Amino acid sequence: MITDIWDLFCNFATMNEEKKISVVINTYNAEQHLQRVLDAVKDFDEVLVCDMESTDSTLEIAQKNGCRIVTFPKADHKSAEPARTFAIQSASSPWVLVVDADEIVTPELREALYRHIRQEKAAEGLYIPRLNQFMGKTMKCAYPDYQLRFFIREGTEWPPYVHTFPKVNGRLDYLPKEQKELAFVHLANDSIHTIMEKDNRYSDNDVDKKAGKNYGAGALLWRPFWRFFKCYVMEGGWRDGIHGLIYAGLKGVYQFELVAKIIEKKQSQQQA
């Protein structure tokens, strides 16, 4: 009788543990929006901050809010991706929600995620839509901008390259884009100067990811044009007026910069 009761208790404890969610936030000098981000996720089971040796008040803010903190060496990394897998596997809950240090989780999104993991056959990963701003405007053409950020911790790995999604063991699903209250709210409203500075860093990382590509002069023309056309026409950038035109143009410029860097690297290797 006592053994049966103990088994029931253990089973209940295990089932309860399986319904927990850790929020994982990768940071590097993220003081600007961090307090608002932490306020929005305080009701999750755990908030883990994986810091890449910040030099501003990021760690003080995280400590003040009772976050668990782990450190990943900054070294010469230009993005958070090399630290993603380490951060995810440092979480203590079976389910993980990865949140950038400039993204807000709405109460509706939090409730939807807990409802999801209570299902009998819940998908092991969820794509979450994101609302993005540019030049002070929420961009229609940049929505839903799906991000694979919610998944089981066990077995999940994130490639160490910018603009990549994690590899999740299991079935993937999408939150409905029609319910915008379930979307991340992206607080970043970067200037054109900041975007171009980021693009320069990110394209350096992208070069390594696309090292096997054999781009030539045609790609210098085709890829920027196609990315502009896709953003401005197919994704509806024209609906955002002058903001959409500039936004699509910057997307094309990134592709030109990336292809040019890949060609430059291959020529340097051939001359070595």
Side-chain angles (χ1 to χ4, degrees), residues 40 84 103 105 137-138 171 178 188 206 247 249:
R84 295 284 199 192
E103 293 173 341
V105 176
K137 177 184 177 68
T138 299
R171 182 169 60 90
E178 294 78 16
D206 243 350
Y247 187 79

Side-chain angles (χ1 to χ4, degrees), residues 10-187:
C10 290
N11 288 336
F12 175 78
T14 300
M15 289 175 62
N16 190 50
E17 184 69 25
E18 290 174 350
K19 307 306 178 187
K20 290 187 176 181
I21 299 173
S22 291
V23 172
V24 169
I25 305 173
N26 288 84
T27 59
Y28 176 69
N29 290 349
E31 64 182 7
Q32 182 179 5
H33 301 295
L34 188 57
Q35 186 58 59
R36 290 181 64 187
V37 172
L38 294 178
D39 286 342
V41 298
K42 62 184 179 182
D43 292 328
F44 283 87
D45 297 291
E46 177 187 48
V47 179
L48 173 73
V49 170
C50 179
D51 188 68
M52 297 177 75
E53 301 177 323
S54 291
T55 57
D56 63 359
S57 62
T58 293
L59 289 177
E60 295 173 22
I61 297 171
Q63 290 166 350
K64 182 181 68 174
N65 284 269
C67 303
R68 187 157 74 87
I69 301 171
V70 296
T71 302
F72 188 89
K74 175 67 169 67
D76 60 350
H77 299 308
K78 297 177 175 64
S79 68
E81 276 69 21
R84 295 284 199 192
T85 298
F86 171 76
I88 292 165
Q89 297 307 325
S90 297
S92 62
S93 301
W95 291 87
V96 171
L97 173 65
V98 174
V99 179
D100 281 352
D102 58 2
E103 293 173 341
I104 296 294
V105 176
T106 64
E108 293 85 356
L109 175 55
R110 176 185 176 277
E111 292 170 7
L113 296 179
Y114 276 101
R115 283 198 305 270
H116 177 79
I117 65 176
R118 288 194 292 267
Q119 298 176 37
E120 274 191 38
K121 296 182 179 180
E124 284 77 10
L126 280 181
Y127 284 90
I128 300 173
R130 182 169 67 173
L131 290 162
N132 295 295
Q133 293 189 50
F134 175 65
M135 293 175 61
K137 177 184 177 68
T138 299
M139 301 295 288
K140 297 174 184 176
C141 68
Y143 187 80
D145 188 25
Y146 273 113
Q147 305 292 315
L148 180 53
R149 299 284 195 79
F150 185 67
F151 38 74
I152 55 170
R153 174 175 54 82
E154 186 176 355
T156 296
E157 295 183 356
W158 202 305
Y161 304 111
V162 72
H163 301 146
T164 54
F165 285 157
K167 297 178 180 178
V168 179
N169 290 327
R171 182 169 60 90
L172 305 179
D173 204 351
Y174 290 76
L175 289 180
K177 63 182 180 181
E178 294 78 16
Q179 295 179 251
K180 291 189 176 182
E181 68 275 11
L182 302 182
F184 286 125
V185 178
H186 198 187
L187 297 174

